[in-house]
Amino acid sequence: MTSTSLYKRDGAALSPLQKLRFFPLAVSGGAGSVLIEEGGRELLDLSASWGAASLGHSHPAMRTAIDQGLANQAGASILSGTNEPAVKLAETLLKLTPGANDRRVWLGHSGSDANETVARVVPAATGRSRIMAFSGAYHGGTQGSMSVSGHTAQEGVAKSDGLTLVPYPDPFRPFEDDPSGEALLAHIEHLLATSCPGDEVACFFMEPIQADGGLIVPPAGFLSRLSKLCAHYGILTICDEVKVGLGRTGLMHCFEHENFVPDIVVFGKGLGGGLPISAIVGPSWIMDHAPAFSMQTLHGNPVSASAALAVLTTIQADNLAARAQNTGGILMDEIARASAQQPEVGDIRGRGLAIGVELVKNENGAPNAELAQKTVYRAWQLGAVFYYVGMNSNVLELTPPLILTEAEAKTGAQILAQSIQDAAAGLVSDEDVAEFAGW
Ligand SMILES: *Cc1c(COP(=O)(O)O)cnc(C)c1O
């Protein structure tokens, strides 16, 4: 394989601190939903780099926007002077995000710095010291964002002093055997009335689909009821739309499936279409807390802001949310059909182009992490790129570019089903995957 040389150079030059590798992927280019390996082999990208490449690769609107942002570069930061793309992006986000009238936008580089800023500013502005979040949640990889996360991959990391984690409502592996989520709501209600007093809680972090925790879709009505409970205590609801927002689930915002409007919305990943940018949209009484409270030099740089504007404009102009709804439906149906005879497929779930396939052991339905690891490796061999997520590392996650075609969705489903079948039949050896720790 000709990609070996690039992959080997990567091994020699780049630190493993930031590597989460599942197979020896070395990319030399890409177009649309296709990645090209060194040597020219084409791979169907069903991850889009964890959802970041929302418009796929080398999208003309992105190229034009980035080129314009650089052709007449309005500085490199928003800290000590403003620029048109950053202001326009903020105005656009305010317009397309439902919520109260009096709101403000903060621009960052990543989901991590955005969530970290929320976790700092809400307690500071409200004077409340407690934060609630879900077990299994991944809100970022910086100290402050990790401290309000509940993902098993970050178990060794110190949590925020006032953090209380509760289980995520998982209909497939439900809390107290109650897939409706009622028992869990009662549990949270009890906590707020006792050991975690509701009037001391500043905010509740929630993902409208818990992505890295296992692509879990909450039961209907759960988040809207939780948000009412939060409102009762004056707890601000924080909706982390970083992975599943901005058209991916078939609506502009994933929380719109849940019939509630969060107080604060966090965007990242797909917002930049591959460039680093994130955003918080929240009420002015929080977001006006203090100048210079949370800033990094390149925040609001006009190049990333231009790219984000192109992403938002394209999602709206090309109806990419509706398109994701349609292609996602095809992808999910085809996976279900092609893997109907596969006992290891325990659950197929998702919304639009955010899809999870939970792999289980045939004998007892227990999580099957080994099969997930071998399946993603086999898929790479067969020509598709996707990874796995979950507290038990056993859920295949599909977050392809929003521009995925129907034909690509069908091909992707075939490769995925074949990969599970091959991996279950032992076509991938322990040795093949030994050097890939995954997570
Ligand atoms: C990826 C992710 C983050 C962190 O974003 P980074 O850009 O990696 O910092 C936060 N929240 C969710 C839901 C994510 O999926």
Side-chain angles (χ1 to χ4, degrees):
M1 175 132 322
T2 39
S3 66
T4 312
S5 71
L6 176 58
Y7 200 76
K8 281 214 169 114
R9 280 168 50 217
D10 166 277
L14 280 159
S15 157
L17 287 174
Q18 60 191 173
K19 293 179 187 173
L20 178 63
R21 299 279 170 84
F22 302 85
F23 34 80
L25 178 64
V27 180
S28 65
S33 298
V34 171
L35 289 171
I36 299 155
E37 282 185 319
E38 206 186 27
R41 189 170 77 115
E42 293 191 352
L43 298 166
L44 182 58
D45 188 359
L46 296 177
S47 166
S49 297
W50 301 96
S54 46
L55 301 187
H57 306 97
S58 302
H59 192 287
M62 290 279 292
R63 296 174 66 178
T64 304
I66 294 165
D67 189 45
Q68 279 172 0
L70 278 169
N72 187 17
Q73 193 183 344
S77 168
I78 202 172
L79 269 47
S80 304
T82 193
N83 68 73
E84 173 67 27
V87 173
K88 185 148 185 227
L89 175 60
E91 291 168 346
T92 306
L93 285 169
L94 285 170
K95 229 176 272 158
L96 62 76
T97 310
N101 282 333
D102 194 10
R103 290 175 303 160
R104 227 72 90 185
V105 175
W106 175 98
L107 297 175
H109 292 323
S110 65
S112 303
D113 67 3
N115 281 318
E116 175 156 340
T117 295
V118 172
R120 285 178 54 219
V121 75
V122 179
T126 59
R128 296 180 176 201
S129 59
R130 292 178 184 272
I131 290 178
M132 293 188 83
F134 286 110
S135 307
Y138 185 91
H139 294 301
T142 58
Q143 186 70 47
S145 57
M146 284 194 287
S147 77
V148 296
S149 294
H151 199 277
T152 34
Q154 300 176 338
E155 240 152 24
V157 176
K159 296 297 162 195
S160 159
D161 278 345
L163 182 70
T164 300
L165 292 172
V166 296
Y168 195 81
D170 181 351
F172 188 68
R173 298 185 187 279
F175 177 78
E176 290 185 352
D177 289 327
D178 172 17
S180 75
E182 293 288 331
L184 181 54
L185 275 169
H187 170 66
I188 296 170
E189 214 164 342
H190 177 72
L191 283 176
L192 291 172
T194 55
S195 60
C196 181
D199 59 4
E200 293 177 14
V201 179
C203 57
F204 200 133
F205 278 86
M206 49 189 82
E207 291 171 83
I209 288 177
Q210 190 176 66
D212 290 329
L215 214 292
I216 303 166
V217 181
F222 183 91
L223 291 182
S224 79
R225 287 186 55 195
L226 177 60
S227 83
K228 287 198 185 94
L229 186 57
C230 288
H232 172 75
Y233 285 106
I235 300 167
L236 297 184
T237 49
I238 317 299
C239 191
D240 181 343
E241 294 261 333
V242 169
K243 196 189 273 183
V244 295
L246 299 176
R248 173 160 302 286
T249 63
L251 296 173
M252 181 57 85
H253 307 290
C254 188
F255 65 76
E256 292 173 305
H257 293 282
E258 303 296 340
N259 198 23
F260 83 109
V261 177
D263 295 298
I264 295 178
V265 184
V266 178
F267 300 106
K269 288 197 172 87
L271 174 64
L275 263 69
I277 188 160
S278 60
I280 306 168
V281 180
S284 300
W285 69 277
I286 299 286
M287 305 303 283
D288 289 353
H289 175 62
F293 179 85
S294 175
M295 58 179 183
Q296 293 176 43
T297 308
L298 297 180
H299 278 172
N301 78 78
V303 181
S304 290
S306 298
L309 273 168
V311 167
L312 297 178
T313 305
T314 305
I315 288 172
Q316 288 177 307
D318 295 355
N319 275 323
L320 293 186
R323 180 170 164 155
Q325 176 70 37
N326 175 53
T327 4
I330 293 169
L331 185 51
M332 200 141 79
D333 288 351
E334 292 287 318
I335 292 169
R337 221 168 39 152
S339 59
Q341 306 304 321
Q342 200 70 45
E344 289 87 356
V345 174
D347 194 28
I348 305 171
R349 55 191 178 236
R351 295 190 190 283
L353 284 173
I355 297 171
V357 179
E358 176 149 0
L359 300 180
V360 299
K361 291 189 175 145
N362 191 7
E363 318 85 75
N364 55 10
N368 197 336
E370 183 189 342
L371 184 60
Q373 188 184 25
K374 291 181 173 176
T375 296
V376 299
Y377 186 92
R378 182 62 181 156
W380 167 74
Q381 290 183 317
L382 295 179
V385 171
F386 55 89
Y387 312 114
Y388 60 81
V389 294
M391 298 269 267
N392 299 304
S393 304
N394 70 318
V395 181
L396 310 174
E397 184 189 73
L398 308 179
T399 54
L402 304 180
I403 50 134
L404 191 79
T405 65
E406 293 185 3
E408 286 168 335
K410 287 177 186 162
T411 305
Q414 289 304 325
I415 296 178
L416 183 138
Q418 187 68 48
S419 305
I420 299 172
Q421 195 180 318
D422 289 356
L427 265 63
V428 178
S429 71
D430 291 347
E431 209 173 46
D432 289 332
V433 294
E435 66 176 280
F436 306 105
W439 63 342

